[in-house]
Every structure is written in structure tokens, then in C-alpha cells.
Amino acid sequence: MLNVPSQSFPAPSSQQRVASGGRSKVPLKQGRSLMDWIRLTKSGKDLTGLKGRLIEVTEEELKKHNTKDDCWICIRGFVYNVTPYMEYHPGGEDELMRAAGSDGTDLFDQVHRWVNYESMLKECLVGRMAVKPALPKGMLPKSQVADTLAKEGCSSPSYDWFQTDSSVTIVIYTKQKDINLDSVIVDHQDDSFRAEILIKDYSYIIHVELSHEIEEDFSVRVVENVGKIEIVLKKKENASWKRLGHPLENHNSLIPRKDTGLYYRKCRLISKEGVTHDTKLFCLMLPPSTHLQVPVGQHVYLKLTITGTEIVKPYTPVSDSLLSEFKEPVLLNNKYIYFLIKIYPAGLFTPELDQLQIGDFVSVSNPEGSFKISQFQELEDLFLLAAGTGFTPMVKILNYALTNIPSLRKVKLMFFNKTEDDIIWRSQLEKLAFKDKRFDVEFVLSAPTSEWNGKWGHISPALLSEFLKRSSDKSKVLICICGPTPFTEQGIRLLRDRNFSKEEIHSFTA
């Protein structure tokens, strides 16, 4: 019997990374939306051409199916007939054809940011490759990854545990000096205990089925100067444990982060409030048995099941406010995650998100992203270019930079929107500029009313020439840019034309 992939996203060995350069979308014909595709997959129509049979596919057979009218693609050892999906693919037919008649796993990982292929293409499954699939990337032997780390000047981590009558303490020795609470993700779901430690571009994972029951809450402590992590679990019964538990998937392993797969936990919707006419601030609460702090500049994936198909979208968490006086002291920041999300009435994901009631659940993934706090080191000038909800990565960057970077002289935000009504947190931005003289904000509108006295137009050399003035000739600069793909690509071209280096530019994908 063939093992049919489960309806889960993403595949166990893929993180579906957001590509820093973005990916162009192709306008789809009417009746070819994601919702239309889901309806087609539920219609009972034979989408494989095999009348429900699953077959083993040789490499020779796979190569034969390499045209738009007959296109098979292999992803992680499973072969799909994507011919019926051609007209529904947001990246266009040409993007799919790059993998026609071949193994498209690597290409898929590079460009498909949130596509739930196992669920989306389930009805297109032809079968699996006849050849034995290669060992998944994430299952590299620990010693092999450790050798790679050693070349980068890192030691392989290890762990130990000890107990008292009332508690169990798991101690992880990372042997790194830059470990902090953001580097530690802990989840206790049912009897499964999972700790993931982020070390450079790798994850060290402790994953066991605990031998005894524990209380929901636990504590996490990091001794930063030696890279030691202590996770203290509370026993439900004062019994002596003979062992920590039974090893589960990837236990005591060191894996490249891009290959670990995303781990989800269900978060409760606590509140949602309107910010603009079409943008809302959502507050989600982590389970009491989760420790997760999303690092500055990184994003997570939100997952909802819509008409039986899991749909996933990436969002960058924000602070609950730009100004401390707006914050509600009742809410502990470490247990709450905030998102500024634009609701698209004709969309598939955001209307479903907006219809959730307080108390409903949304699945939230582990964080990922390429932005590193070290980019702020000795920074003097920080320039932020944002369009629409591309503002979201800038929220935590603003908060962190103004609070924690003593070398900082100037922070400037140029915020592009269509109309005044679209500007997110306008009053807060203006108050922050008044409160902190290092910060300045400029609003640019593409469709202003006749009453608008500010700047207008699209991102251009003329707008950037005045905006990008350094505080001194040789000041250290970082430029962050985020918005729709055309905005970001045009912005990066203009910045490179002005001789800013790759190291001075960081782009996010909106």
C-alpha cells in the first residue's frame, strides 16, 4: 500500500521559508481562485487521470510527463499530476513548468511560501517514486551537523536533567554566549514535551513523551554568559522519575533550521479591534504550556482550516502599541502575540480570520526569518520604507531600536499608503515623533484628496533623495523595506542605484 500524505502543512522536512526577494503573482482568470480550486478538488472529478489508482512512478515515466497538457511533478518522493492545477497556480504556468517531469522539491522550498501542497494537491496524487526516497534533509546525523558547526567555531549542544520531590529541571548546555529567551521555544502538549533551541542557523531539539504528568506552567531561565538553559517542570505527583521520558521525533538532534519543519500550537483569540477601515489588531494568547517569544523582524505562520483544507499565511507580530502609555499593564507581553492584519473582503483567509469569535483558536507556528538583531550593532541611521501592511515589521524594529541602541542618532520612516484613511497608527506615529526627537515620519499618498498637503506619488528617486540623508558622511546605516512585491523590488533597485550595499538593505516580504 502507498502512504498517502496527510493533510498537514508544511511537509515534515520543510519550513516553507519566505524568500527575501519575494515572488511575483500572475493574474488569474475569473473562476480560477484558490476557493475555486478547493471546490474542484471536492467535486469528485478525477484529477489524476488514473481513476483513483495510486501507482509507483519510475524516473523514466516521470520524465515523459513534462508538458503543460500533461505535467507531473515529484515533491518529497510523491508524484502529483498538476495539469488541472495549472490555471489556478498564483505563480503562473511557467513557474510550475520549471519542475515539469522532474523532482521539484528544492524549487518548491525556495518559492512556495505557504502553499499547503499535501492538502491542496491531494486529489492530484499519482503515487510515489519507485526509487527509494533520499534521507530527508532534516534527518542529517547529529555528528555531521556538529562537524559543520565546529567549522563555524561552535560546539555541539547537550542536555541533562535532575529532579527534586516536586520538580524536574532540564538543563541544556548550548556552549554559545549569544543565547537569550528569544532563542528558546518550549511546548508541552498532552504528554509530549518539546524544546527547540535556535543556535545560529540550526535548531537543537529535545523531544520526549514524559514518563509522568506535569503541571501546565513551567519556567525558563537562560544564563547568557555561558549559554546554559534551565527549564523547570512542576510534577503533578511527588514521585521519583526513573527517566525523563520516551524519545520522540528528532530528540537530542541538531538540525539546519530550514529543514526542521514548522511546529504549531493553538492560540486563543483574546481581542480584535479596528485600526483603520480595513485593518484590525488581533491579540492571541499562547497556551500556558508554551514559551515563545518572536524575535524582532521575524514572522510566524497562522493556520486555519477552511472548507476542509488547511490554509496558512505568514504574518509579522507587532507590539500592542508604539507608545508605552498606550499599553495595558494587565496583559503580560510574553503570553500575548499581536498582529495588524488587513481584511480583504474577496480573500479566502482574512475574512475567515475576521469571523472568528473571541475564545476561538488559531494555530501559530514557530518563528522564522533572516533578520538578525546584530544588524543594529553600532547603528547610527535607521531608514524604514513601508507600504500598507508592510508597516508591520517596522513596529518592533522601531520599538527596539529607539529603546536599545545607544549609538542611534536618527530613525526615519517613509510610510506609503493610498489614502489618509489607510494610514495605520497615524496618531501614534506622530506622537512618537513628538516624544522622541531622533524619530521622524513622512506619509506619502498615491491617491490623496485635494485637502492633502503632504507628499504624494509612488516610491521614486525624488522622494528618496531627501529622505535618505545620513546624520554624518560615514555613519553606519541600515535601510529596512517592506510592502507589495513591486514596491519592494523598485525600492531595492533605487537604493542600489544610490550605492547602498546589500549589507545596508534588508527587505521583508509583505
Side-chain angles (χ1 to χ4, degrees), residues 206-224:
I206 301 295
H207 194 192
V208 295
E209 181 182 336
L210 295 173
S211 58
H212 293 73
E213 291 187 350
I214 61 170
E215 302 289 351
E216 276 192 327
D217 58 323
F218 51 79
S219 63
V220 179
R221 177 172 173 261
V222 174
V223 185
E224 293 189 22

PDB file of all heavy atoms in Angstrom, residues 206-224:
ATOM      1  N   ILE A 206      15.001  18.946  21.902  1.00  0.00           N
ATOM      2  CA  ILE A 206      14.707  17.945  22.927  1.00  0.00           C
ATOM      3  C   ILE A 206      13.231  17.606  22.765  1.00  0.00           C
ATOM      4  O   ILE A 206      12.375  18.486  22.835  1.00  0.00           O
ATOM      5  CB  ILE A 206      14.961  18.492  24.351  1.00  0.00           C
ATOM      6  CG1 ILE A 206      16.420  18.950  24.512  1.00  0.00           C
ATOM      7  CG2 ILE A 206      14.592  17.449  25.398  1.00  0.00           C
ATOM      8  CD1 ILE A 206      17.418  17.842  24.412  1.00  0.00           C
ATOM      9  N   HIS A 207      12.910  16.334  22.512  1.00  0.00           N
ATOM     10  CA  HIS A 207      11.518  15.966  22.222  1.00  0.00           C
ATOM     11  C   HIS A 207      11.234  14.592  22.832  1.00  0.00           C
ATOM     12  O   HIS A 207      11.735  13.575  22.352  1.00  0.00           O
ATOM     13  CB  HIS A 207      11.310  15.942  20.710  1.00  0.00           C
ATOM     14  CG  HIS A 207       9.864  15.904  20.313  1.00  0.00           C
ATOM     15  ND1 HIS A 207       9.447  15.633  19.024  1.00  0.00           N
ATOM     16  CD2 HIS A 207       8.730  16.106  21.026  1.00  0.00           C
ATOM     17  CE1 HIS A 207       8.136  15.675  18.967  1.00  0.00           C
ATOM     18  NE2 HIS A 207       7.673  15.951  20.172  1.00  0.00           N
ATOM     19  N   VAL A 208      10.470  14.574  23.907  1.00  0.00           N
ATOM     20  CA  VAL A 208      10.201  13.313  24.602  1.00  0.00           C
ATOM     21  C   VAL A 208       8.733  13.214  25.008  1.00  0.00           C
ATOM     22  O   VAL A 208       8.044  14.216  25.187  1.00  0.00           O
ATOM     23  CB  VAL A 208      11.075  13.167  25.877  1.00  0.00           C
ATOM     24  CG1 VAL A 208      12.546  13.082  25.523  1.00  0.00           C
ATOM     25  CG2 VAL A 208      10.817  14.308  26.858  1.00  0.00           C
ATOM     26  N   GLU A 209       8.278  11.988  25.131  1.00  0.00           N
ATOM     27  CA  GLU A 209       6.992  11.716  25.782  1.00  0.00           C
ATOM     28  C   GLU A 209       7.314  11.504  27.258  1.00  0.00           C
ATOM     29  O   GLU A 209       7.955  10.531  27.644  1.00  0.00           O
ATOM     30  CB  GLU A 209       6.359  10.460  25.191  1.00  0.00           C
ATOM     31  CG  GLU A 209       5.002  10.132  25.795  1.00  0.00           C
ATOM     32  CD  GLU A 209       4.414   8.854  25.224  1.00  0.00           C
ATOM     33  OE1 GLU A 209       4.789   8.466  24.092  1.00  0.00           O
ATOM     34  OE2 GLU A 209       3.584   8.224  25.933  1.00  0.00           O
ATOM     35  N   LEU A 210       6.904  12.465  28.091  1.00  0.00           N
ATOM     36  CA  LEU A 210       7.299  12.454  29.500  1.00  0.00           C
ATOM     37  C   LEU A 210       6.798  11.205  30.209  1.00  0.00           C
ATOM     38  O   LEU A 210       5.694  10.713  29.935  1.00  0.00           O
ATOM     39  CB  LEU A 210       6.769  13.705  30.205  1.00  0.00           C
ATOM     40  CG  LEU A 210       7.357  15.043  29.731  1.00  0.00           C
ATOM     41  CD1 LEU A 210       6.616  16.205  30.383  1.00  0.00           C
ATOM     42  CD2 LEU A 210       8.846  15.132  30.031  1.00  0.00           C
ATOM     43  N   SER A 211       7.600  10.711  31.121  1.00  0.00           N
ATOM     44  CA  SER A 211       7.243   9.476  31.819  1.00  0.00           C
ATOM     45  C   SER A 211       6.172   9.700  32.885  1.00  0.00           C
ATOM     46  O   SER A 211       5.515   8.746  33.305  1.00  0.00           O
ATOM     47  CB  SER A 211       8.488   8.851  32.457  1.00  0.00           C
ATOM     48  OG  SER A 211       9.092   9.756  33.354  1.00  0.00           O
ATOM     49  N   HIS A 212       5.995  10.941  33.338  1.00  0.00           N
ATOM     50  CA  HIS A 212       4.969  11.263  34.334  1.00  0.00           C
ATOM     51  C   HIS A 212       4.285  12.580  33.962  1.00  0.00           C
ATOM     52  O   HIS A 212       4.788  13.341  33.143  1.00  0.00           O
ATOM     53  CB  HIS A 212       5.593  11.395  35.735  1.00  0.00           C
ATOM     54  CG  HIS A 212       6.132  10.110  36.288  1.00  0.00           C
ATOM     55  ND1 HIS A 212       7.281   9.522  35.819  1.00  0.00           N
ATOM     56  CD2 HIS A 212       5.662   9.297  37.283  1.00  0.00           C
ATOM     57  CE1 HIS A 212       7.529   8.408  36.491  1.00  0.00           C
ATOM     58  NE2 HIS A 212       6.556   8.247  37.379  1.00  0.00           N
ATOM     59  N   GLU A 213       3.150  12.844  34.596  1.00  0.00           N
ATOM     60  CA  GLU A 213       2.400  14.069  34.308  1.00  0.00           C
ATOM     61  C   GLU A 213       3.037  15.268  35.003  1.00  0.00           C
ATOM     62  O   GLU A 213       3.607  15.156  36.087  1.00  0.00           O
ATOM     63  CB  GLU A 213       0.945  13.923  34.768  1.00  0.00           C
ATOM     64  CG  GLU A 213       0.143  12.941  33.935  1.00  0.00           C
ATOM     65  CD  GLU A 213      -1.335  12.939  34.316  1.00  0.00           C
ATOM     66  OE1 GLU A 213      -1.682  13.567  35.344  1.00  0.00           O
ATOM     67  OE2 GLU A 213      -2.126  12.322  33.592  1.00  0.00           O
ATOM     68  N   ILE A 214       2.918  16.440  34.333  1.00  0.00           N
ATOM     69  CA  ILE A 214       3.408  17.688  34.922  1.00  0.00           C
ATOM     70  C   ILE A 214       2.307  18.744  34.868  1.00  0.00           C
ATOM     71  O   ILE A 214       1.317  18.595  34.143  1.00  0.00           O
ATOM     72  CB  ILE A 214       4.665  18.213  34.190  1.00  0.00           C
ATOM     73  CG1 ILE A 214       4.332  18.505  32.713  1.00  0.00           C
ATOM     74  CG2 ILE A 214       5.820  17.226  34.308  1.00  0.00           C
ATOM     75  CD1 ILE A 214       5.433  19.252  31.971  1.00  0.00           C
ATOM     76  N   GLU A 215       2.489  19.816  35.632  1.00  0.00           N
ATOM     77  CA  GLU A 215       1.553  20.934  35.599  1.00  0.00           C
ATOM     78  C   GLU A 215       1.719  21.695  34.279  1.00  0.00           C
ATOM     79  O   GLU A 215       2.738  21.573  33.589  1.00  0.00           O
ATOM     80  CB  GLU A 215       1.813  21.888  36.772  1.00  0.00           C
ATOM     81  CG  GLU A 215       1.710  21.247  38.139  1.00  0.00           C
ATOM     82  CD  GLU A 215       0.271  20.896  38.527  1.00  0.00           C
ATOM     83  OE1 GLU A 215      -0.655  21.316  37.807  1.00  0.00           O
ATOM     84  OE2 GLU A 215       0.085  20.202  39.545  1.00  0.00           O
ATOM     85  N   GLU A 216       0.709  22.498  33.935  1.00  0.00           N
ATOM     86  CA  GLU A 216       0.750  23.221  32.659  1.00  0.00           C
ATOM     87  C   GLU A 216       1.892  24.227  32.597  1.00  0.00           C
ATOM     88  O   GLU A 216       2.586  24.339  31.605  1.00  0.00           O
ATOM     89  CB  GLU A 216      -0.578  23.957  32.424  1.00  0.00           C
ATOM     90  CG  GLU A 216      -1.672  23.100  31.819  1.00  0.00           C
ATOM     91  CD  GLU A 216      -2.843  23.942  31.352  1.00  0.00           C
ATOM     92  OE1 GLU A 216      -3.118  24.979  31.998  1.00  0.00           O
ATOM     93  OE2 GLU A 216      -3.477  23.580  30.351  1.00  0.00           O
ATOM     94  N   ASP A 217       2.066  24.992  33.674  1.00  0.00           N
ATOM     95  CA  ASP A 217       3.049  26.066  33.621  1.00  0.00           C
ATOM     96  C   ASP A 217       4.439  25.570  34.002  1.00  0.00           C
ATOM     97  O   ASP A 217       4.591  24.615  34.766  1.00  0.00           O
ATOM     98  CB  ASP A 217       2.636  27.229  34.529  1.00  0.00           C
ATOM     99  CG  ASP A 217       2.467  26.794  35.969  1.00  0.00           C
ATOM    100  OD1 ASP A 217       1.988  25.669  36.187  1.00  0.00           O
ATOM    101  OD2 ASP A 217       2.829  27.574  36.880  1.00  0.00           O
ATOM    102  N   PHE A 218       5.452  26.209  33.453  1.00  0.00           N
ATOM    103  CA  PHE A 218       6.843  25.881  33.759  1.00  0.00           C
ATOM    104  C   PHE A 218       7.641  27.174  33.639  1.00  0.00           C
ATOM    105  O   PHE A 218       7.130  28.201  33.181  1.00  0.00           O
ATOM    106  CB  PHE A 218       7.388  24.810  32.801  1.00  0.00           C
ATOM    107  CG  PHE A 218       7.159  25.115  31.348  1.00  0.00           C
ATOM    108  CD1 PHE A 218       7.961  26.010  30.663  1.00  0.00           C
ATOM    109  CD2 PHE A 218       6.117  24.496  30.659  1.00  0.00           C
ATOM    110  CE1 PHE A 218       7.738  26.293  29.343  1.00  0.00           C
ATOM    111  CE2 PHE A 218       5.888  24.780  29.318  1.00  0.00           C
ATOM    112  CZ  PHE A 218       6.704  25.679  28.656  1.00  0.00           C
ATOM    113  N   SER A 219       8.891  27.144  34.039  1.00  0.00           N
ATOM    114  CA  SER A 219       9.725  28.340  33.939  1.00  0.00           C
ATOM    115  C   SER A 219      10.939  28.072  33.069  1.00  0.00           C
ATOM    116  O   SER A 219      11.437  26.943  33.006  1.00  0.00           O
ATOM    117  CB  SER A 219      10.168  28.814  35.328  1.00  0.00           C
ATOM    118  OG  SER A 219      10.971  27.836  35.954  1.00  0.00           O
ATOM    119  N   VAL A 220      11.399  29.115  32.381  1.00  0.00           N
ATOM    120  CA  VAL A 220      12.572  29.023  31.517  1.00  0.00           C
ATOM    121  C   VAL A 220      13.563  30.098  31.952  1.00  0.00           C
ATOM    122  O   VAL A 220      13.202  31.268  32.103  1.00  0.00           O
ATOM    123  CB  VAL A 220      12.205  29.232  30.032  1.00  0.00           C
ATOM    124  CG1 VAL A 220      13.461  29.153  29.156  1.00  0.00           C
ATOM    125  CG2 VAL A 220      11.173  28.203  29.571  1.00  0.00           C
ATOM    126  N   ARG A 221      14.805  29.679  32.154  1.00  0.00           N
ATOM    127  CA  ARG A 221      15.846  30.615  32.575  1.00  0.00           C
ATOM    128  C   ARG A 221      17.072  30.424  31.689  1.00  0.00           C
ATOM    129  O   ARG A 221      17.434  29.299  31.362  1.00  0.00           O
ATOM    130  CB  ARG A 221      16.219  30.366  34.043  1.00  0.00           C
ATOM    131  CG  ARG A 221      17.357  31.233  34.576  1.00  0.00           C
ATOM    132  CD  ARG A 221      17.515  31.034  36.078  1.00  0.00           C
ATOM    133  NE  ARG A 221      18.692  31.713  36.598  1.00  0.00           N
ATOM    134  CZ  ARG A 221      19.853  31.127  36.851  1.00  0.00           C
ATOM    135  NH1 ARG A 221      19.987  29.811  36.662  1.00  0.00           N
ATOM    136  NH2 ARG A 221      20.882  31.813  37.317  1.00  0.00           N
ATOM    137  N   VAL A 222      17.681  31.532  31.285  1.00  0.00           N
ATOM    138  CA  VAL A 222      18.873  31.475  30.449  1.00  0.00           C
ATOM    139  C   VAL A 222      20.031  32.163  31.164  1.00  0.00           C
ATOM    140  O   VAL A 222      19.887  33.305  31.615  1.00  0.00           O
ATOM    141  CB  VAL A 222      18.636  32.149  29.075  1.00  0.00           C
ATOM    142  CG1 VAL A 222      19.934  32.202  28.269  1.00  0.00           C
ATOM    143  CG2 VAL A 222      17.554  31.412  28.296  1.00  0.00           C
ATOM    144  N   VAL A 223      21.135  31.467  31.286  1.00  0.00           N
ATOM    145  CA  VAL A 223      22.363  32.075  31.803  1.00  0.00           C
ATOM    146  C   VAL A 223      23.191  32.452  30.574  1.00  0.00           C
ATOM    147  O   VAL A 223      23.896  31.621  29.994  1.00  0.00           O
ATOM    148  CB  VAL A 223      23.147  31.100  32.715  1.00  0.00           C
ATOM    149  CG1 VAL A 223      24.361  31.809  33.329  1.00  0.00           C
ATOM    150  CG2 VAL A 223      22.244  30.535  33.796  1.00  0.00           C
ATOM    151  N   GLU A 224      23.081  33.714  30.156  1.00  0.00           N
ATOM    152  CA  GLU A 224      23.568  34.116  28.839  1.00  0.00           C
ATOM    153  C   GLU A 224      25.080  34.005  28.685  1.00  0.00           C
ATOM    154  O   GLU A 224      25.576  33.642  27.620  1.00  0.00           O
ATOM    155  CB  GLU A 224      23.106  35.548  28.529  1.00  0.00           C
ATOM    156  CG  GLU A 224      21.597  35.656  28.350  1.00  0.00           C
ATOM    157  CD  GLU A 224      21.155  37.015  27.829  1.00  0.00           C
ATOM    158  OE1 GLU A 224      21.985  37.714  27.234  1.00  0.00           O
ATOM    159  OE2 GLU A 224      19.973  37.367  28.027  1.00  0.00           O
TER     160      GLU A 224
END
